[in-house]
Amino acid sequence: MSARMHLSDAHGVQEPGDGTRLAVAVEILGLLADRTRLTLLRRLGAGEADVTTLTEACGASRTSVSQHLARLRLAGLVTTRKDGRRAVYALRHGHLRRLVDEALSAADHQIRHLPPHD
């Protein structure tokens, strides 16, 4: 992500300014605004998965899935660990799972003409 939070100075960790928070949120939402990446994040919300499993889940080519995963990893949204020769991916934190779930719930409301609620 290009909008980085400013970390510690001599007095400890600084709170990010509202502009920084908004810039990072825009970048995160921009990454979610892609069908393949949203599908990958939705699948990873169910638990860790390797590239083969993720390729099957989103129906894209392995090359495409690998490129999207690399982008998500560089943005700090997913983590990876080695399991033998396989790379296993996971969401970095539950906020992303909830964000994807809420976006899909909002889509359900729009598609099914469901009444609004909090």
Side-chain angles (χ1 to χ4, degrees), residues 15-37:
E15 287 295 316
D18 200 42
T20 300
R21 289 179 70 219
L22 289 170
V24 171
V26 165
E27 288 189 36
I28 290 169
L29 292 171
L31 287 167
L32 294 178
D34 177 274
R35 183 185 197 108
T36 300
R37 286 192 294 271

Side-chain angles (χ1 to χ4, degrees), residues 37-88:
R37 286 192 294 271
L38 187 60
T39 302
L40 291 170
L41 293 173
R42 179 180 64 175
R43 171 54 189 84
L44 289 172
E48 292 182 327
D50 62 10
V51 175
T52 300
T53 302
L54 294 168
T55 299
E56 292 169 1
C58 67
S61 72
R62 186 177 184 90
T63 302
S64 175
V65 168
S66 292
Q67 289 171 351
H68 285 290
L69 287 168
R71 190 160 180 198
L72 292 169
R73 187 176 41 80
L74 288 172
L77 301 184
V78 300
T79 61
T80 184
R81 67 175 177 81
K82 288 290 186 179
D83 182 22
R85 295 181 63 193
R86 298 179 320 142
V88 179

Side-chain angles (χ1 to χ4, degrees), residues 42 100-115 117:
R42 179 180 64 175
V100 170
D101 288 347
E102 287 296 326
L104 294 171
S105 292
D108 288 340
H109 276 263
Q110 195 164 352
I111 292 166
R112 297 179 182 154
H113 306 289
L114 300 172
H117 63 83

